[in-house]
Amino acid sequence: MGSLSISFILTHLFYISDNGCLELIRAIKYVVFMFYILTCCLLMTSSLAVADHGLPAESMGLIWCAPFAAILLSLAVMPLLFPKLWHRHYGKLIIGYCLLYIIPGASSFGMDVVSHEILHVMLSEYMPFTILIASLFITTGGIHLTANWFGTPKSNTLILLTGTFIASIIGTTGASMLLIRPLIRANAWRKHTVHTIIIFIFLVANIGGSLTPLGDPPLFLGFLEGVPFFWPAVNMFLPMLLLSVCILAVYYGLDYYFYKKETEESPYKSSQTTGGIRFQGRRNFYFLGGIIGGVLLSGFWHPGISFDFFGVEIQIENLVRDAILLLMSLMSLVTTNSKTRESNHFSWDPLLEVMKIFFGIFITVSPVIAILKAGHDGALSHFMEMVTKDGAPYNPAYFWLTGVFSSFLDNAPTYYVFFYMAGGNVTELTTTLSTTLTAISTGAVFMGAVTYIGNAPNFMIKSISERHGIKMPSFFGYMAWSFVILIPLFLLTAFVFF
C-alpha cells in the first residue's frame, strides 16, 4: 500500500496540470483514506483463523446485494438527474453505500469477518487491479500520437480495427488510452461523434482483448489458474472475428450516414499533407513492454514463496509484478516531457474516478460473489440449475449468465465464479469441456461492453471524451446503444458457437 501511495504522490509532483494543485490535494486525500481503511481492517482482523471461514453465504439473503445494487442505480440515475451533485459528491455516496454493507455485516457476522473480507479484496483484487490500470494509463498517457487522420468513415474504421488488434497485446486499457485521444482529435471537426466513441468502447475496450491473457483481466485470471497462454487465441478467435467484422460493418454504414450529414467540409478534402504516424514519448513503449513482461512473469514464474499477512496469502510473484508495474509508471513520469502529456490533455481525473467507483464496487460486490460461490446452497441457487442440463454443462446458459453478471459486476471475479461452477478442473475445461470454458470466457470479455461499468476502460473513455467536450450518453442511454447493436450479435454468437 505504501508503494502505491508514494507512486500517487510522485505522479502529481512530476506532472501538475492547470488544476494540478487541486488534483494533488484530491489524490493525497484519497491515499490517506485508503491508508485509513487498511489500518482499520488490520486492527479489526484480530485472528488469523478468520481466513478459514469467510461470509456465511448459505444463510445470506438477497438483501445483502442491496448496497451493490444501490451503486449501480446511482451510476445510472445520478449523472442524468443530478450531474453537478454527482460530480462533486460521488465519492462520499460510494463510501455511504459501502457502510450500508460494512455496518450491518459487522453486526451480523462480526467485524473480524467483514474486515478480513475487505482486507482480502483490497490486497488480492483491488490493489493489483488498480496498479495495472494505473500503470497502463500513465505510460500510454505519455505517448502522443499524431497522424494525418481525419474523421472519415474509412479512417475511423481503420483506427477501430487497429485498436481491436492491439488490445490483445497491450491490454484493453493500454489500447484505449493510446488511441482514444487521436480518435477524438481526428473527429474534432465533426458534430456527430458519439457513435464513434461507443463503438470504440465495444471493440477496443472490450472485444479486442480476447486473444491473450494480457488482453482482459478474466483471461489473465484464467491464465493464473493454469489455462495455457495461447488457449484464448485458439478458442476465442472465431467468435471475436465474427463479432468484430459485424460491428465494423455496422459502424461503417452508421458513420457514412452521419458523415454525409455534417455541415462543415472535411479537412481531408482540402488537406495537401501526406506522411505517416509520428510519436512523441516513444520511450514509453519500452515501459509498456516492461509492464507486459511483469504480467507475464507473474504467470510463468511460480517459486512457491508466499507469506501470510493477517490471513491473506500474498504470492511473491505478484509482489514482484506490482513492483515492476509501479517502477515502469514512475520511470514514465520521470522521463516523459510534460509537454507530451499536455498535448494529450492528460489529467488524473479519469483514473481517480475509476479508482473511487471500483473501490465501492469491489467492496459491495463481496457478498454477491460469496452468494454465487455458495452455488446450490445460496440465495442464487436457481442460477446453478440454469447452467446444467441433464447433468452436463449447458453452454448457452454459461455464456449468457457470465455475460449478464460481467455487465454489472467486475468481470474478473465473475469469470472466477463460473470457472469453478463448471468444475474448476483446468485439464478438463481446456479439453473435453473447452466449449464450456469458451462460453464463460467470451461472456466475460464480450459483455463487459454492455454497460459503462462492465470493464474499467469503459468509464475512462467516457470521462476522457467528456473532458474533450463530447456529450456522452447517460448510463441507460449507453445501454440503449449496446442493446440495439450488441445483443443481436450476441444471439448470433450463441447460436453459431454454443
Side-chain angles (χ1 to χ4, degrees), residues 136-412:
L136 291 171
F137 180 81
I138 290 168
T139 52
T140 55
I143 302 172
H144 181 68
L145 187 156
T146 57
N148 294 323
W149 288 340
F150 302 100
T152 65
K154 182 178 179 180
S155 63
N156 285 340
T157 303
L158 181 61
I159 296 175
L160 292 172
L161 178 62
T162 302
T164 304
F165 173 76
I166 67 173
S168 289
I169 301 173
I170 63 174
T172 52
T173 298
S176 298
M177 295 304 101
L178 180 64
L179 291 176
I180 184 58
R181 295 179 182 92
L183 181 65
I184 291 173
R185 288 195 297 268
N187 289 272
W189 68 276
R190 294 182 58 173
K191 293 182 179 179
H192 304 284
T193 56
V194 170
H195 65 289
T196 298
I197 306 300
I198 290 173
I199 299 298
F200 185 91
I201 293 175
F202 291 170
L203 288 172
V204 182
N206 290 276
I207 296 169
S210 301
L211 301 184
T212 74
L214 298 171
D216 217 30
L219 302 183
F220 179 66
L221 184 58
F223 175 61
L224 296 180
E225 292 293 323
V227 177
F229 185 86
F230 293 105
W231 184 92
V234 173
N235 292 272
M236 297 178 66
F237 173 74
L238 290 179
M240 174 201 168
L241 180 64
L242 174 64
L243 269 181
S244 299
V245 169
C246 291
I247 293 174
L248 285 172
V250 169
Y251 170 75
Y252 186 86
L254 193 62
D255 197 45
Y256 186 82
Y257 168 77
F258 283 119
Y259 182 76
K260 292 297 184 181
K261 294 183 65 176
E262 296 294 343
T263 55
E264 294 185 23
E265 184 179 0
S266 170
Y268 174 75
K269 296 179 180 179
S270 58
S271 175
Q272 301 296 320
T273 60
T274 58
I277 299 173
R278 298 183 300 277
F279 292 99
Q280 293 176 335
R282 286 190 294 269
R283 60 172 59 89
N284 283 281
F285 285 112
Y286 297 110
F287 303 142
L288 274 174
I291 292 171
I292 294 171
V295 172
L296 282 172
L297 179 67
S298 67
F300 286 110
W301 178 52
H302 299 289
I305 302 173
S306 64
F307 62 92
D308 191 284
F309 186 74
F310 286 83
V312 179
E313 185 179 10
I314 299 177
Q315 306 289 339
I316 188 66
E317 58 266 31
N318 295 332
L319 282 179
V320 172
R321 177 198 64 216
D322 293 344
I324 292 174
L325 267 55
L326 289 172
L327 178 61
M328 294 298 104
S329 302
L330 181 59
M331 291 177 66
S332 173
L333 289 163
V334 172
T335 62
T336 302
N337 191 318
S338 62
K339 292 183 178 180
T340 302
R341 296 190 187 276
E342 290 171 3
S343 299
N344 280 334
H345 302 283
F346 184 88
S347 168
W348 297 101
D349 277 346
L351 179 60
L352 287 173
E353 185 175 8
V354 167
M355 291 179 69
K356 290 178 181 180
I357 289 173
F358 276 86
F359 172 82
I361 287 175
F362 269 95
I363 287 184
T364 58
V365 78
S366 297
V368 181
I369 295 296
I371 293 172
L372 280 173
K373 284 184 177 180
H376 291 291
D377 298 322
L380 296 172
S381 59
H382 52 285
F383 285 107
M384 288 293 296
E385 299 172 0
M386 293 174 64
V387 296
T388 56
K389 187 175 183 179
D390 299 328
Y394 187 46
N395 297 326
Y398 269 108
F399 173 72
W400 284 106
L401 288 178
T402 305
V404 168
F405 278 101
S406 294
S407 298
F408 296 97
L409 313 182
D410 182 65
N411 58 3

Side-chain angles (χ1 to χ4, degrees), residues 41 44-55 109-120 308 310-312:
C41 291
M44 295 176 182
T45 307
S46 58
S47 173
L48 297 182
V50 173
D52 296 331
H53 59 88
L55 295 172
F109 315 128
M111 195 62 219
D112 270 2
V113 173
V114 173
S115 61
H116 177 269
E117 287 294 318
I118 295 174
L119 187 65
H120 183 274
D308 191 284
F310 286 83
V312 179

